[in-house]
Amino acid sequence: MPYRIEPARCTACGACEIECPSSAIGPAGAAFRIDPLLCTECAGRFETPQCASVCPVPKTCVPA
């Protein structure tokens, strides 16, 4: 299941976009969004999704 970003919690810091190995994250208005067709949950590269690992706001990058 791909991840998604809770727009109300997103501070638009961009940390997730930089760390995403799939280039699945991009700006969407005042927040960021994850393209579900590109999100791989970092499978095969990292033990945990990098968006959730680097986000400074808990529970912003969550399973869809």
Side-chain angles (χ1 to χ4, degrees), residues 28-60:
F32 279 77
R33 86 177 275 284
I34 299 173
D35 183 333
L37 298 176
L38 296 177
C39 179
T40 63
E41 296 179 57
C42 299
R45 292 184 166 189
F46 300 97
E47 289 184 30
T48 59
Q50 293 301 285
C51 58
S53 295
V54 301
C55 183
V57 182
K59 298 181 182 174
T60 299

Side-chain angles (χ1 to χ4, degrees), residues 1 3 18 33 46 63:
M1 172 181 292
Y3 266 53
I18 294 166
R33 86 177 275 284
F46 300 97

